[in-house]
């Protein structure tokens, strides 16, 4: 039986910040911190050992002999490859370009370091089932992703919305009353326009687009 509380791995190189995050999460009662790390190599080992539900990751980590760049993005890539079941929530005051890189690497959302303990715990809980992005940041990120892309047609946007709802190709065809081969063609066009080949990337983009409406 799955533990009721959300198992969280905190990856943050400032001890005071780490303590504050841990205390805030555990005081709320919905989450339990199962491991902490101050650098990427330690975080990779901890993720393999404790298998958290959520990894709360700072992007700017101090360099380590095994990871001289100290970038949280490399940890996100590791988790996507080795522990795809772990949901990654970025805890950072990084700018939009860095956050975009984190999302492209596989992060499922972000929350600012100015968030209250309640807001942070809400984000940790929400990221289990979907993306967590402030509406204004989602708009910026989607703008960046689409900046050099050809615009999607109305039908292609319909397909993208179905992807956001988790539909497979047959379900999309039934929902839109079109043939499965037509769905496949639309998906090929969407991949070409957005420059994304992975279905998971398309789903992430679709859900980020829908987030401002879903959060009302």
């Amino acid at each position: 039986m799955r533990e009721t509380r959300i198992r969280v791995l905190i990856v943050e190189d400032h001890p005071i910040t780490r303590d504050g995050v841990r205390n805030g999460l555990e005081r709320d009662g919905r989450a339990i911190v199962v491991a902490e790390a101050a650098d990427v190599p330690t975080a990779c080992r901890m993720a393999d050992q404790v298998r958290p539900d959520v990894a709360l990751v700072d992007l700017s980590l101090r360099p380590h002999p095994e990871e001289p760049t100290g970038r949280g993005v490399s940890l996100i890539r590791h988790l996507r490859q080795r522990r795809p079941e772990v949901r990654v929530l970025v805890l950072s005051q990084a700018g939009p370009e860095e956050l975009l890189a984190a999302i492209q690497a596989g992060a499922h959302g972000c929350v600012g370091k100015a968030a209250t303990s309640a807001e942070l715990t809400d984000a940790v809980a929400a990221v289990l089932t979907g993306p967590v992005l402030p509406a204004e940041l989602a708009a910026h990120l989607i703008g960046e992703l689409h900046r050099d892309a050809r615009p999607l047609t109305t039908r292609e946007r319909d397909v993208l919305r179905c992807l956001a709802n988790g539909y497979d190709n047959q379900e999309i065809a039934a929902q839109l009353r079109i043939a499965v081969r037509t769905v496949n063609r639309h998906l090929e066009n969407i991949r070409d326009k957005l420059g994304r080949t992975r279905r998971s990337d398309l789903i992430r983009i679709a859900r980020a687009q829908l987030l401002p409406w879903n959060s009302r």
Side-chain angles (χ1 to χ4, degrees), residues 61-182:
L61 302 170
R62 284 197 295 268
H64 183 279
E66 297 177 40
E67 184 63 48
T69 60
R71 302 301 297 166
V73 170
S74 61
L75 171 62
I76 294 170
R77 292 195 184 99
H78 169 88
L79 292 173
R80 183 175 69 177
Q81 294 171 3
R82 291 283 302 273
R83 295 294 173 197
E85 74 279 5
V86 176
R87 304 289 290 181
V88 178
L89 182 64
V90 172
L91 176 63
S92 178
Q93 291 300 100
E97 291 185 2
E98 288 182 272
L99 293 175
L100 175 58
I103 290 171
Q104 290 174 326
H108 302 95
C110 68
V111 62
K113 287 191 174 181
T116 65
S117 295
E119 290 170 340
L120 177 59
T121 310
D122 286 344
V124 167
V127 82
L128 289 175
T129 56
V132 174
L133 295 174
E136 63 276 10
L137 178 58
H140 177 89
L141 295 179
I142 295 304
E144 287 294 313
L145 288 168
H146 287 235
R147 184 173 56 184
D148 299 321
R150 287 173 288 156
L152 300 179
T153 66
T154 300
R155 184 56 89 188
E156 287 165 355
R157 290 184 178 278
D158 290 339
V159 171
L160 208 57
R161 290 189 182 95
C162 289
L163 279 181
N165 289 323
Y167 294 170
D168 61 27
N169 289 14
Q170 289 187 339
E171 290 170 328
I172 294 173
Q175 178 72 20
L176 300 181
R177 298 182 180 179
I178 57 179
V180 173
R181 64 177 179 274
T182 304

